[in-house]
Amino acid sequence: MIRAALFDLDGVIVDTAKYHYLAWRRLADKLGFCFTETDNERLKGVSRMRSLDILLEVGGMSDRFTPEEKERLAAQKNEWYVAYISQMTPDEILPGVLSFLDEVRADGIRTALGSASRNTALILGRLGIDRYFDAVVDGTMVTRTKPDPEVFLRCAGMVGIEPEACVVFEDAEAGIEAARAAGMYSVGIGSPERLGQADRVIPGFAGVSWSQIKTQLCTIR
């Protein structure tokens, strides 16, 4: 029986991925190379410093910077990103998300947000949706990033629900891997081609009901 629903933030609740991409591309431009949207797919669900390493790999600059210089580059990217998301409004919540969350909570299901983002509190505040989550675990609270299951196990612990009774909603392959490693159900938000390891894949929350998802998942185990 499913008793908790755990949600990633970027690409699931709101599309902050576009702001990450703008900031990373701006950094690549500053360093003198092109960073495409295809390249950016590799950054989904991973930490800021690992994302920087991937970006530098793309630019052929993996060995050019000291750890201290990398910290400064990551800080510069984050400064640009925070400037972008500081202008966000509730209109940017993805279609169907709020009605889905309302249905989940009306069913007595515990809810938590598990994100690698260190700016989760700022984003939730800008969107005005803090009240929808019983617990929030962000990048400041974990030491291991997805596909390690730490973030979702922390979420389950904070809402007091055993992992096998949790379902994770994720848009990244690393997030689906993390959910599976935690022994949780998983629902991919995106394409079946990319998220085929999930128990269920939907294109988004628009037109999707919680009762439908719950019924389908409960037939799996």
Side-chain angles (χ1 to χ4, degrees), residues 102-175:
D102 282 332
E103 187 182 358
V104 169
R105 293 182 66 82
D107 193 32
I109 301 297
R110 301 284 285 173
T111 55
L113 191 75
S115 172
S117 173
R118 293 174 177 268
N119 298 293
T120 297
L122 171 61
I123 295 168
L124 292 179
R126 292 297 304 174
L127 300 179
I129 58 173
D130 310 62
R131 67 188 185 280
Y132 282 97
F133 302 102
D134 298 306
V136 174
V137 177
D138 64 17
T140 67
M141 302 168 65
V142 294
T143 58
R144 298 180 298 278
T145 59
K146 305 167 189 174
D148 188 280
E150 181 185 11
V151 63
F152 294 133
L153 291 173
R154 286 285 302 272
C155 284
M158 288 177 70
V159 297
I161 304 296
E162 60 275 14
E164 58 268 26
C166 297
V167 56
V168 170
F169 293 87
E170 259 283 358
D171 75 316
E173 294 175 73

Side-chain angles (χ1 to χ4, degrees), residues 206-219:
V208 175
S209 72
W210 163 244
S211 59
Q212 177 188 32
I213 294 290
K214 183 172 69 169
T215 299
Q216 291 173 343
L217 292 176
C218 287
T219 64

Side-chain angles (χ1 to χ4, degrees), residues 6-29:
L6 317 180
F7 297 83
D8 181 36
L9 178 62
D10 300 346
V12 175
I13 302 297
V14 64
D15 184 16
T16 55
K18 62 186 177 185
Y19 298 122
H20 279 295
Y21 173 60
L22 288 174
W24 284 123
R25 188 180 68 182
R26 187 171 173 181
L27 181 61
D29 289 344

Side-chain angles (χ1 to χ4, degrees), residues 27-147:
L27 181 61
D29 289 344
K30 180 179 178 180
L31 294 174
F33 64 89
C34 179
F35 187 73
T36 69
E37 291 187 60
T38 300
D39 296 325
N40 191 62
E41 286 294 312
R42 296 175 57 192
L43 274 52
K44 286 189 174 180
V46 301
S47 70
R48 184 186 304 167
M49 295 310 295
R50 177 56 188 147
S51 293
L52 175 61
D53 286 339
I54 293 171
L55 179 135
L56 294 177
E57 288 171 15
V58 170
M61 296 184 171
S62 296
D63 303 320
R64 190 169 298 186
F65 300 98
T66 66
E68 292 75 18
E69 289 170 331
K70 285 184 178 181
E71 289 287 349
R72 287 194 290 271
L73 290 174
Q76 175 65 86
K77 176 268 173 182
N78 191 59
E79 182 179 321
W80 290 328
Y81 172 69
V82 170
Y84 292 139
I85 63 174
S86 294
Q87 304 303 313
M88 292 178 70
T89 70
D91 291 339
E92 296 186 64
I93 299 171
L94 292 172
V97 167
L98 295 185
S99 59
F100 190 85
L101 285 170
D102 282 332
E103 187 182 358
V104 169
R105 293 182 66 82
D107 193 32
I109 301 297
R110 301 284 285 173
T111 55
L113 191 75
S115 172
S117 173
R118 293 174 177 268
N119 298 293
T120 297
L122 171 61
I123 295 168
L124 292 179
R126 292 297 304 174
L127 300 179
I129 58 173
D130 310 62
R131 67 188 185 280
Y132 282 97
F133 302 102
D134 298 306
V136 174
V137 177
D138 64 17
T140 67
M141 302 168 65
V142 294
T143 58
R144 298 180 298 278
T145 59
K146 305 167 189 174

